[in-house]
Amino acid sequence: MAEAIQRKEIGKGVFFTKITDSRYKLNRIGIDFITNLSEETASVNAVVPRLLAKASADYPTLAALSNKLSSLYAAKVGGNAGKQGDSQYMALSCTSIDDVYALEGEKLTDEVLDILLGCLFKPLAENSAFNEKMTALEKQSLIDDIEAEINDKISYARTKGYKLMCQGEPAAVSGLGSAEKAAEITAESAFAAYRKMLETCQVEIICVGCNDFESAEKKLTEAFAEINRGDIVACRSQISKLKAEAVTEVEKMSVTQSKLVMGFKTSCTDYPALSVMSAIYGGCTTSKLFMNVREKLSLCYYCSSSFIREKGVMMVNSGVENENLEKARAEILAQFEDMKKGNFSDEDISHAKLSLENDLKGVNDSLRAVASWYFTGIYRNDVKTPEEAISRMNAVTREQIVKAAESVELDSVYILTSLDEESEVEG
């Protein structure tokens, strides 16, 4: 089993966390830079970790870096960006097998970390600008990824529904920014964003694996001590306020199946109860939405709910025939009224808790999932192990579930439907 989580500040606004578990054969070190999410800066921030993970002064081409990592038993270095509530994160990470499995006793964890630190602190840059050619390639890759989001209509509809819910809030901005802002990125602006990231972002370093990470802590402490860190950006999310009146937005596109996304909001802070409530309502295969709206009434191809704690929102996502949009919306709301009245069985509660428990047990299946779990807990200022989360969840009572449901109200409805038919759902 893993040791108790250990987190300490090793520099100004730089925090080091390690989770050591003898069951793992790999080690992962992740460095997350956290800043406030903004339409103006999201795209240029998002391109930075992509650039850093592709080359460095020591390995000036992707081929050189890849060849070196391959020689270290297929070690990996990666970079990505995304969002957590109202914040954006820029992340770099490295993964390698543990030293004890090296054939010649190599210190793999240290060597791969040195490569990662080279990417971060000695990037391929000159005269306060990243390499022009590499910047152009990564800029286009970012634009391609942003524009590709529309190809997955389920994900696209969910994103648009969430944006409608959080309209006017930082959370409405994509973690990758926009194609328009990405097109404005230059080698100079990307480097400026990189320096701002190093000097002002809160930094969360999370190490997971069978290593004790003592050497890693020393290396990281020394590396960040070389950076002149100024005022550190304070990043937290605000609960999204319920609109005075629920709004409906209809978008028409060439689709064969309509997407119906319904957004609900709550100011309740009993998060274990809200999670169980959402699971009973639409979070598992025995939920009210699945059993009634999908199976019994055949109004949806899929219909499920999920709770997003950072913003206090619950979303219902469904795929519906155009002629069934109004019936589906009415039945989804009717099922939630049943939740508020406590019209669910003890068996429903047990099934929902078992489903959540299985999900929580799965956190320990991968280093990345463990790192993501603790990053989220740190961001929420509510760090707990998956086992502790299971215990809290299993202690939730029927009364708590009903109270949580009673706090939830409809905020917005987003519909993606076909071009050649009129929507039956009125705003």
Side-chain angles (χ1 to χ4, degrees):
M1 293 297 292
E3 297 176 0
I5 181 173
Q6 300 177 43
R7 180 173 181 262
K8 64 174 72 171
E9 189 167 10
I10 62 170
K12 186 176 181 181
V14 181
F15 296 88
F16 180 87
T17 299
K18 67 176 182 179
I19 303 100
T20 299
D21 193 323
S22 60
R23 292 177 298 178
Y24 297 121
K25 305 299 184 287
L26 303 173
N27 296 306
R28 182 184 191 276
I29 299 173
I31 308 173
D32 288 86
F33 296 84
I34 311 168
T35 191
N36 292 315
L37 190 54
S38 163
E39 184 72 49
E40 289 299 312
T41 59
S43 295
V44 71
N45 284 342
V47 85
V48 170
R50 292 170 178 243
L51 285 165
L52 296 176
K54 294 296 193 306
S56 69
D58 296 327
Y59 302 97
T61 66
L62 178 58
L65 179 60
S66 298
N67 288 338
K68 180 59 179 178
L69 292 170
S70 294
S71 73
L72 298 173
Y73 303 87
K76 296 179 181 178
V77 166
N80 69 293
K83 70 178 181 180
Q84 188 89 25
D86 290 326
S87 303
Q88 184 181 27
Y89 62 82
M90 294 78 76
L92 285 174
S93 66
C94 63
T95 305
S96 61
I97 64 172
D98 191 60
D99 301 353
V100 299
Y101 302 105
L103 296 177
E104 298 179 9
E106 300 99 320
K107 296 294 184 182
L108 289 174
T109 304
D110 280 357
E111 193 166 350
V112 176
L113 175 58
D114 285 340
I115 294 172
L116 181 69
L117 292 177
C119 290
L120 178 57
F121 295 106
K122 295 191 296 179
L124 187 62
E126 190 176 1
N127 299 324
S128 298
F130 282 113
N131 177 271
E132 290 279 358
K133 183 178 180 180
M134 191 163 287
T135 301
L137 288 171
E138 293 307 316
K139 169 181 169 178
Q140 188 57 53
S141 175
L142 176 64
I143 292 172
D144 291 344
D145 287 347
I146 293 169
E147 292 180 340
E149 290 177 348
I150 199 170
N151 294 330
D152 182 346
K153 296 301 188 291
I154 294 176
S155 178
Y156 174 79
R158 188 181 188 281
T159 298
K160 291 296 292 285
Y162 186 68
K163 186 174 183 177
L164 180 61
M165 288 185 72
C166 299
Q167 201 167 37
E169 303 171 31
V173 178
S174 166
L176 299 182
S178 66
E180 293 75 18
K181 287 295 179 182
E184 298 174 4
I185 294 171
T186 65
E188 290 77 15
S189 68
F191 190 83
Y194 156 71
R195 291 304 308 180
K196 187 174 182 181
M197 179 187 86
L198 278 185
E199 294 167 6
T200 67
C201 286
Q202 178 181 329
V203 183
E204 292 293 340
I205 301 166
I206 300 180
C207 305
V208 187
C210 54
N211 197 280
D212 61 17
F213 298 110
E214 290 182 4
S215 178
E217 180 183 342
K218 183 174 183 294
K219 285 177 176 288
L220 287 155
T221 301
E222 292 172 351
F224 275 97
E226 297 295 317
I227 302 298
N228 182 21
R229 304 222 341 128
D231 294 332
I232 308 304
V233 177
C235 299
R236 282 291 176 264
S237 291
Q238 299 295 321
I239 296 299
S240 189
K241 292 184 179 179
L242 181 70
K243 294 178 177 60
E245 185 176 344
V247 298
T248 297
E249 179 182 311
V250 179
E251 182 175 2
K252 295 194 173 185
M253 199 177 289
S254 180
V255 294
T256 56
Q257 179 192 111
S258 295
K259 313 299 178 190
L260 171 64
V261 180
M262 301 178 68
F264 300 77
K265 292 183 179 177
T266 178
S267 57
C268 176
T269 57
D270 187 351
Y271 298 117
L274 286 163
S275 294
V276 177
M277 180 274 295
S278 180
I280 296 170
Y281 178 49
C284 60
T285 55
T286 59
S287 68
K288 294 175 74 65
L289 293 182
F290 185 89
M291 297 301 294
N292 294 291
V293 185
R294 183 186 186 277
E295 295 295 295
K296 183 179 178 180
L297 299 174
S298 299
L299 291 174
C300 302
Y301 292 98
Y302 63 89
C303 191
S304 64
S305 67
S306 58
F307 179 67
I308 304 168
R309 172 172 166 174
E310 279 76 14
K311 299 299 295 179
V313 303
M314 183 177 73
M315 298 182 69
V316 174
N317 299 281
S318 56
V320 190
E321 289 290 348
N322 190 72
E323 60 269 20
N324 287 333
L325 278 167
E326 182 53 47
K327 292 177 182 177
R329 181 166 81 160
E331 188 58 33
I332 288 168
L333 290 173
Q335 291 298 323
F336 198 71
E337 287 304 311
D338 261 7
M339 289 294 303
K340 292 183 176 184
K341 295 173 183 175
N343 291 336
F344 49 87
S345 67
D346 290 342
E347 187 177 24
D348 291 331
I349 298 174
S350 296
H351 285 158
K353 287 183 176 181
L354 182 60
S355 177
L356 291 171
E357 183 173 341
N358 287 337
D359 290 342
L360 289 166
K361 286 181 177 179
V363 168
N364 291 318
D365 288 347
S366 76
L367 301 180
R368 185 170 183 172
V370 172
S372 178
W373 170 266
Y374 284 105
F375 173 79
T376 299
I378 290 166
Y379 181 81
R380 294 171 174 172
N381 196 28
D382 183 22
V383 179
K384 55 186 177 297
T385 65
E387 292 76 20
E388 289 169 337
I390 289 171
S391 179
R392 290 191 200 182
M393 180 266 298
N394 281 329
V396 170
T397 65
R398 168 180 286 274
E399 289 72 27
Q400 286 176 276
I401 296 167
V402 172
K403 187 175 180 180
E406 289 174 343
S407 74
V408 177
E409 299 294 337
L410 181 65
D411 176 84
S412 53
V413 178
Y414 169 82
I415 299 161
L416 178 64
T417 192
S418 58
L419 291 166
D420 56 347
E421 295 184 50
E422 293 297 323
S423 168
E424 294 183 7
V425 180
E426 300 298 328

